[in-house]
Amino acid sequence: MPAGELMYPPEEEKKIKEAEDEEGWVWTQIKTESRSDAEAEPALASYLYSTILSHSSLERSLSFHLGNKLCSSTLLSTLLYDLFLNAFSSDPSIRSATVADLRAARVRDPACVSFSHCLLNYKGFLACQAHRVAHKLWTQSRRPLALALHSRIADVFAVDIHPAARIGKGVLFDHATGVVVGETAVIGNNVSILHHVTLGGTGKVGGDRHPKIGDGVLIGAGATILGNVKIGEGAKIGAGSVVLIDVPPRTTAVGNPARLVGGKERPAKHEDVPGESMDHTSFISEWSDYII
Amino acid sequence: MPAGELMYPPEEEKKIKEAEDEEGWVWTQIKTESRSDAEAEPALASYLYSTILSHSSLERSLSFHLGNKLCSSTLLSTLLYDLFLNAFSSDPSIRSATVADLRAARVRDPACVSFSHCLLNYKGFLACQAHRVAHKLWTQSRRPLALALHSRIADVFAVDIHPAARIGKGVLFDHATGVVVGETAVIGNNVSILHHVTLGGTGKVGGDRHPKIGDGVLIGAGATILGNVKIGEGAKIGAGSVVLIDVPPRTTAVGNPARLVGGKERPAKHEDVPGESMDHTSFISEWSDYII
Amino acid sequence: MPAGELMYPPEEEKKIKEAEDEEGWVWTQIKTESRSDAEAEPALASYLYSTILSHSSLERSLSFHLGNKLCSSTLLSTLLYDLFLNAFSSDPSIRSATVADLRAARVRDPACVSFSHCLLNYKGFLACQAHRVAHKLWTQSRRPLALALHSRIADVFAVDIHPAARIGKGVLFDHATGVVVGETAVIGNNVSILHHVTLGGTGKVGGDRHPKIGDGVLIGAGATILGNVKIGEGAKIGAGSVVLIDVPPRTTAVGNPARLVGGKERPAKHEDVPGESMDHTSFISEWSDYII
Amino acid sequence: MPAGELMYPPEEEKKIKEAEDEEGWVWTQIKTESRSDAEAEPALASYLYSTILSHSSLERSLSFHLGNKLCSSTLLSTLLYDLFLNAFSSDPSIRSATVADLRAARVRDPACVSFSHCLLNYKGFLACQAHRVAHKLWTQSRRPLALALHSRIADVFAVDIHPAARIGKGVLFDHATGVVVGETAVIGNNVSILHHVTLGGTGKVGGDRHPKIGDGVLIGAGATILGNVKIGEGAKIGAGSVVLIDVPPRTTAVGNPARLVGGKERPAKHEDVPGESMDHTSFISEWSDYII
Amino acid sequence: MPAGELMYPPEEEKKIKEAEDEEGWVWTQIKTESRSDAEAEPALASYLYSTILSHSSLERSLSFHLGNKLCSSTLLSTLLYDLFLNAFSSDPSIRSATVADLRAARVRDPACVSFSHCLLNYKGFLACQAHRVAHKLWTQSRRPLALALHSRIADVFAVDIHPAARIGKGVLFDHATGVVVGETAVIGNNVSILHHVTLGGTGKVGGDRHPKIGDGVLIGAGATILGNVKIGEGAKIGAGSVVLIDVPPRTTAVGNPARLVGGKERPAKHEDVPGESMDHTSFISEWSDYII
Amino acid sequence: MPAGELMYPPEEEKKIKEAEDEEGWVWTQIKTESRSDAEAEPALASYLYSTILSHSSLERSLSFHLGNKLCSSTLLSTLLYDLFLNAFSSDPSIRSATVADLRAARVRDPACVSFSHCLLNYKGFLACQAHRVAHKLWTQSRRPLALALHSRIADVFAVDIHPAARIGKGVLFDHATGVVVGETAVIGNNVSILHHVTLGGTGKVGGDRHPKIGDGVLIGAGATILGNVKIGEGAKIGAGSVVLIDVPPRTTAVGNPARLVGGKERPAKHEDVPGESMDHTSFISEWSDYII
């Protein structure tokens, strides 16, 4: 990128520099992990070299990996590789979100043994990064291409995020199969969303019709949230819940239909950030209806 | 098709003629949309030409697209293409159902921006059309082939519809991931079914053991309907509901276990056709138990 | 395998012999079925010869089929074929589990028309056999390879079973799309698990944090079981249930939150083994809350 | 083909009928041979079913085989299959040439053990049939498509026949690698051409500039014939010869530069048809210069 | 490329500017030709968009095309695409040679109907451009990669040019199948080489052992030139000739063993540049030995 | 291989042991070379791991490489891999011929920089090893499979060796493109054959009709040898020669028609073994006719 083309104010410059440092550090970790894995397991070395060790940067590795995962006989890997590489290279904000997502999986998911494990194998992570590129295309009014990419993500990963949906940083889609996120949905930072979660709309009229998920929210497996409702920051939605109206910040909604733990009038409020603590079940004792 | 091979009564002839006109009109729309997209987005033009613009009819385009999506290293695209093309060409009723399904997506789903968007990208639409061919094979006693096709649809789209299941026209499988429809299930016309919906059986004995879904029904995301139960025409099943017994026409069943909105004795009846209006949540105010 | 390399005690020898006889019998059935299908349906004959009829044993056929299903542009079919063949050949206990799983599908699922139908088309069966190999790699401390295989299974079949999870014999994953089984989960023998079932963890700390499923359990579609809870042998979990605490043997838990049918104090106990009888709905009459 | 669309005079009708009978007979032979091979060799059965036994006619089998051989990541097999099938189906003269070529290989090449062997494995046969379709496209002014097909044939088979070149029936390209036939070349009926043969032009100006090969000619391996020269019917060109001027009918030209066996004034004339007898070396005794 | 990174002297700058103008002009021609072909032939439009019309420059189009032609299951297209794009982008001298080669084909080969025809379909052109990249890798001491690329070119195009061989600009490899160029061979500018031509070595000792071909030379089909011999500028080698010693400039050598036309002592000298005039046969009248 | 299955006499045992040592030594070299290349060139490391470094033996590496090179959409790599591995594993004589061929390339071809270079990149070497397997199938009366393999070798490498042809050890097919070897040809040990060489037949009657090549023969590029003629041991055939009758041992035949260097009566005899010395041109001074 030729000097002078982009002029950021000093503060912005500093943040970009930090993000690049962060990205560089994570990329170094990933290379170290992969090199060690390749040495221990020759049967996997070819895979590790082609996906990670032959690349000079995280954005190239990820572009290669997504291009090869999402390609089809009618959408070639070289086309997709170019598309991804161009998006990641030109947009530092996507790259820093990618790094934050890698960190989120590494910190919050005890089954995530390394950054490279997440980069290579987590369909939620991969679907989310591909979505970030589809979203960028959408905002650039390249909608048919964004929708074609969306379709490939939905086919390959069974993760269906409309390219118009806005997603923050440090988001963990754990397991991810079956996640559906609608066109006008918004997901904040540091949110954790389990598999089979729906952020859906209602009716056949367009407009703002999907949920808005605040920062730090945790949404349990199979939860369904419908309509333009607001899930307050730090709220927790129990697995299998069906939520049709707003949920206040730092409260817990569970059940079908969902109820607030502690009651509608004086709901119990928690201090931790469930999207980060990943505590799915601590409300059991308070949940009077639970009667097995 | 040589004259004289098929002789329909005049009324039937007229209906076929209308269906062909309809099909022709939709196909013209699809070509116009794609041509415009190809001009605006050269990166997608190759894809649009190979899937749509190089073909002389909707049935050829769809056969090509499904053949390339569903093929594998052991079931080649040319074989599948032939299979699909033969089925679509020889059966006008499948073609008119396809057109009705395209219209259903276009009219009912506000995120569906064009017919070509649905034709290319909607896994529910594509799975359903492939199922229509698998079903035809099943009725022709070509069961091993029908089941092999079924398996490919389940792998590629994560949509699992038994080839024996009967599906009407104008059906929308929205998002579609995770849908399971059992062997003896029947789905009427103008039904809308969201993702993760199960129309399942019970027990290990064969026979008629799956749900019967009336015309105009709307089944919300994640709903599970089990056994040979009848969902009356125009009924609505709330997201995440578990339904094990019959639901009367034009009523709404919600929850796990599902209850009728308004109560079992005098359930609220709605006038609209939910399968077409796609209204998922209007029952909230009436749902006294909902207590967030 | 050179004589003398493995010395089993006589009892063990006898069991191995019986398992081999069993395996041989099932393989003969599969060949007979496929030959008959190939004759009746020339369009499928190529597929049947490549996947079944050209192979000399069930383990070769299955290795070929899995290798071709799970391969990608960066994990070649020849590598996977070798990996599977080596695992199946060297471990009789995996082979006997495979045969028991084939029998389970054939006996319990009325839609399963033949052994070959299950072998070729059941994504639950195929995902489970591939998991058995991934699990073996995990126990051999070949974890990066086990996780890469896990990732392919999750992408291709939308079945996400952590390679560390332990699974018994005669297990049926019916439909299977969306199943998630966590790292420390254990599944007993003769269990039947429907699609969208989650055996999940809670919290972000490692350790033993996933469910333990006893022998003969039946878990209905969409059920979510979270945490290190114990589902007693022969218990039944209703479709869509959310289970967060232990369920006693031979009882039925249903609903969200799940309740024991018959009440917590004196729950109804059934005699049959639900994982084998596949009876999903007989509890309806006893389920007083069910009020449609 | 609807009656009345094509009206041939009675004589023509009879010839077409005979050609169809011939085609039917050869196709029956091919199926019988393949069925026997498939039974004897299970490892090849899948290949034989996909290429031959699953098809209902020679033209479908050949279209499938060529489509799969000549496809690339940017020219899909389904597109080529359609192209070939359409050309073979609509043009009986191509089909009768194909049958004559099959017969030529079977009769003239002692290494050709069966019709199916030629159909599946002879690159000269396959390149020639694909050329016949490219030539048809060329005459229909679909030149870019003809040239793209030409390029695929040259890449895959290393046989480079310009789509404008005219080729008769009953032509054998034996071994075929390296054959080059220029734009204005003409090859008669019952010609046999070995590998590395060039029918080339000279100069950089267009127009009629390539050889004309009479009926029944035999051209030995590596012979180079340049310019708009005429090789008389039944002539023989020795292996490795370089021919730059006309060769009279039923004479033999050998050497570099080529000389007529027997001398320019009174060349030896043979009675047999070398293109059919495949006698490459009988001139040795007459070839006075030959002095090893 | 950031300003200042490369500083050329003014003369050099001017030449680069002219080369870029030339490249831009040719690229514009290619796009115009392809757009016209795509409109006339929808069946080819997908191919033309993916290979040419979706790209922003000749180097991207060529990198894409070569990457997809030369890839294999173990050398992925994305890797090759990157490799080619990097080489073409960073080396203006390769790009100007490419443009000169395109012009050479267009001007000298009457069968070359357009630049895009050559770019897409000429295996000699494509092999030569891929060789230019392999040669660059060789000079950068990336020899194993250069040799792997060499091997792919030899497999796919049947053109075998050692990556160490040096090739000038404006070179036409016509038809190209079977060309072999050894390690220490040098080919000048504006040379035309037909198919099956060998520039070979002798002996098993390394060192400078292959032919040196002067500017403007024409080498006819099947000619074999062996050893470190010098073919003088503007010389012509007849088809099928075997040349083992030097050939003086602007003379013609023909036959096996090759003789100079006109005799060794006073060979006929021509005025034109055979590598550009492509006159293969004008020496016939002078070639006294030619006696058909 | 179970002990006792094969019992060799002691002498044979010793030779097998030596061959295994030789094979082990070469395999160690190949691994060392590849490891060094992989370290120096990360872009190639994936390729080197998948083809060589992930394998436990030369036969596995070669089977993998050939399986992936020769596979097609109708002959899958897993099938071919199995076929090759089975042949190489069960037949030590093939393996020792493979090792001798590797050595031949390494010693005789100055452009061959390492064993791994030959193993990965030499189409002549790879075609020859695949032929050895096809030949074994032929001798086992698995002729349709042998011919299918033959066809793949001819398509992929442009090397056309009839599966019935017998080939000795330590054979070098240099460059190899265009080589044709007929059904009843026999090639001795330590022979070197350049590209475009034909060992062809004559006539259309079967029987013994192809050349017999003695030990240590060198056949230059483009030479054509036709009929059941005998090329004596240690003879040399000049490039581009056409040989139709026997050539005595240790003599040199050149030209078209071929003449013995030194004259038919008292031909010059050389002491070296041309097939090993690779001296293509030392006869020039003696070749009186050569008059450039």
Side-chain angles (χ1 to χ4, degrees), chain A residues 210-261:
Chain A
H210 296 95
K212 311 292 174 278
I213 310 298
D215 292 350
V217 167
L218 168 65
I219 308 180
T224 303
I225 308 177
L226 297 182
N228 186 359
V229 300
K230 186 166 182 177
I231 309 301
E233 61 170 270
K236 173 163 30 174
I237 309 297
S241 303
V242 176
V243 178
L244 306 180
I245 56 177
D246 291 359
V247 173
R250 298 200 175 255
T251 63
T252 300
V254 290
N256 176 3
R259 292 169 181 80
L260 287 188
V261 170

Side-chain angles (χ1 to χ4, degrees), chain B residues 164-276:
Chain B
R166 284 182 283 145
I167 298 183
K169 298 183 177 189
V171 171
L172 169 64
F173 287 100
D174 202 6
H175 303 295
T177 301
V179 162
V180 172
V181 177
E183 183 174 357
T184 59
V186 178
I187 297 173
N189 297 319
N190 301 316
V191 168
S192 290
I193 292 178
L194 274 282
H195 51 286
H196 303 320
V197 163
T198 297
L199 306 182
T202 182
K204 65 177 182 181
V205 183
D208 196 347
R209 64 197 186 282
H210 296 95
K212 311 294 175 276
I213 311 299
D215 293 350
V217 166
L218 168 66
I219 308 179
T224 303
I225 309 177
L226 297 183
N228 186 0
V229 301
K230 187 166 180 177
I231 309 302
E233 61 170 90
K236 173 164 27 174
I237 310 297
S241 304
V242 176
V243 178
L244 305 180
I245 58 176
D246 291 359
V247 173
R250 297 199 175 256
T251 64
T252 299
V254 289
N256 176 3
R259 293 168 181 82
L260 287 187
V261 170
K264 188 160 68 173
E265 303 309 322
R266 250 166 315 168
K269 294 240 174 182
H270 43 257
E271 292 305 305
D272 70 333
V273 181
E276 298 180 9

Side-chain angles (χ1 to χ4, degrees), chain F residues 3 38 112 135 142 153 169 173 231 246 263 285 288:
Chain F
C112 182
H135 179 63
R142 303 175 70 180
I153 301 168
K169 296 182 177 193
F173 288 99
I231 309 302
D246 290 359
S285 57
S288 53

Side-chain angles (χ1 to χ4, degrees), chain D residues 230-261:
Chain D
K230 186 166 181 176
I231 309 302
E233 62 171 271
K236 173 163 28 176
I237 310 297
S241 303
V242 175
V243 179
L244 305 179
I245 57 177
D246 290 359
V247 173
R250 296 194 176 259
T251 63
T252 300
V254 290
N256 175 5
R259 293 167 180 82
L260 287 188
V261 170

Side-chain angles (χ1 to χ4, degrees), chain D residues 73-74 79 142 144-145 151 154-155 160 178 180 198 202-204 209 242-246 256-259 264, chain E residues 37 41 43-44 47 68-69 108 110 121 123 156 175 195-196 240 276-278 280-281 284 287 290-292:
Chain D
S73 54
T74 48
L79 185 153
R142 302 175 69 181
L145 188 55
S151 164
D155 283 3
D160 181 342
V180 172
T198 297
T202 182
K204 64 177 182 183
R209 65 198 184 282
V242 175
V243 179
L244 305 179
I245 57 177
D246 290 359
N256 175 5
R259 293 167 180 82
K264 190 158 67 174
Chain E
D37 286 351
E41 180 68 84
L44 204 61
Y47 178 69
N68 278 295
K69 283 231 172 220
R108 293 177 215 163
N121 299 329
K123 60 200 285 194
V156 171
H175 302 297
H195 51 286
H196 302 319
E276 297 179 10
S277 69
M278 305 298 286
H280 288 270
T281 55
I284 296 179
W287 197 12
Y290 200 84
I291 58 164
I292 286 186

Side-chain angles (χ1 to χ4, degrees), chain E residues 22-40:
Chain E
E22 170 81 356
E23 192 184 332
W25 182 83
V26 166
W27 177 235
T28 302
Q29 291 301 106
I30 289 170
K31 287 218 144 183
T32 306
E33 294 162 5
S34 304
R35 203 166 288 118
S36 153
D37 286 351
E39 267 159 39

Side-chain angles (χ1 to χ4, degrees), chain A residues 37 41 43-44 47 68-69 108 110 121 123 156 175 195-196 239-240 276-278 280-281 284 287 290-292, chain C residues 73-74 79 142 144-145 151 154-155 160 178 180 198 202-204 209 242-246 256-259 264:
Chain A
D37 286 350
E41 180 67 84
L44 203 63
Y47 177 70
N68 278 294
K69 283 229 170 221
R108 293 177 215 163
N121 299 330
K123 59 200 287 195
V156 170
H175 303 295
H195 50 286
H196 303 321
E276 298 179 9
S277 68
M278 304 298 284
H280 289 271
T281 54
I284 296 178
W287 199 13
Y290 202 84
I291 58 164
I292 285 184
Chain C
S73 54
T74 46
L79 184 152
R142 302 176 71 181
L145 188 54
S151 164
D155 283 3
D160 181 341
V180 172
T198 296
T202 183
K204 65 176 183 182
R209 64 199 186 282
V242 176
V243 178
L244 305 181
I245 58 177
D246 290 359
N256 176 3
R259 294 169 180 80
K264 190 159 65 173

Side-chain angles (χ1 to χ4, degrees), chain A:
Chain A
M1 201 164 48
E5 200 172 279
L6 281 167
M7 286 294 276
Y8 295 109
E11 290 236 330
E12 201 64 5
E13 283 277 341
K14 197 182 152 208
K15 275 168 69 181
I16 288 172
K17 184 66 180 50
E18 280 169 13
E20 277 169 7
D21 287 356
E22 169 82 357
E23 192 184 330
W25 182 84
V26 166
W27 178 235
T28 303
Q29 291 302 105
I30 288 170
K31 287 218 146 183
T32 306
E33 295 162 3
S34 304
R35 203 166 288 117
S36 153
D37 286 350
E39 268 158 39
E41 180 67 84
L44 203 63
S46 172
Y47 177 70
L48 293 168
Y49 271 95
S50 75
T51 52
I52 291 177
L53 290 167
S54 67
H55 299 283
S56 56
S57 66
L58 177 55
E59 69 208 55
R60 285 190 169 270
S61 166
L62 185 55
S63 299
F64 173 91
H65 198 44
L66 288 175
N68 278 294
K69 283 229 170 221
L70 295 175
C71 69
S72 73
S73 54
T74 47
L75 273 177
L76 297 182
S77 58
T78 35
L79 185 152
L80 293 180
Y81 170 73
D82 239 25
L83 199 66
F84 286 121
L85 187 52
N86 189 49
F88 290 129
S89 302
S90 65
D91 190 339
S93 74
I94 293 187
R95 291 209 306 279
S96 76
T98 299
V99 170
D101 294 351
L102 279 168
R103 279 197 173 279
R106 188 78 180 84
V107 169
R108 293 177 215 163
D109 181 0
C112 182
V113 296
S114 65
F115 288 114
S116 59
H117 174 29
C118 177
L119 173 63
L120 292 175
N121 299 330
Y122 272 44
K123 59 200 287 195
F125 170 77
L126 293 167
C128 184
Q129 308 322 308
H131 163 78
R132 295 187 187 285
V133 173
H135 180 63
K136 188 180 170 74
L137 293 168
W138 185 267
T139 61
Q140 294 169 331
S141 295
R142 302 177 71 182
R143 298 192 173 186
L145 188 54
L147 291 168
L149 192 49
H150 168 217
S151 164
R152 288 305 300 156
I153 302 168
D155 283 2
V156 170
F157 296 123
V159 174
D160 181 343
I161 308 176
H162 193 284
R166 284 183 283 144
I167 299 183
K169 296 182 177 190
V171 171
L172 170 63
F173 287 100
D174 202 4
H175 303 295
T177 302
V179 162
V180 172
V181 177
E183 182 174 359
T184 59
V186 178
I187 297 173
N189 297 320
N190 301 316
V191 169
S192 291
I193 292 177
L194 273 282
H195 50 286
H196 303 321
V197 163
T198 297
L199 306 183
T202 182
K204 64 177 183 183
V205 183
D208 196 347
R209 63 198 186 281
H210 296 95
K212 311 292 174 278
I213 310 298
D215 292 350
V217 167
L218 168 65
I219 308 180
T224 303
I225 308 177
L226 297 182
N228 186 359
V229 300
K230 186 166 182 177
I231 309 301
E233 61 170 270
K236 173 163 30 174
I237 309 297
S241 303
V242 176
V243 178
L244 306 180
I245 56 177
D246 291 359
V247 173
R250 298 200 175 255
T251 63
T252 300
V254 290
N256 176 3
R259 292 169 181 80
L260 287 188
V261 170
K264 189 160 68 173
E265 302 308 323
R266 249 166 314 170
K269 294 239 174 185
H270 43 258
E271 291 305 305
D272 69 333
V273 181
E276 298 179 9
S277 68
M278 304 298 284
D279 174 355
H280 289 271
T281 54
S282 63
F283 54 83
I284 296 178
S285 58
E286 298 176 53
W287 199 13
S288 54
D289 280 346
Y290 202 84
I291 58 164
I292 285 184

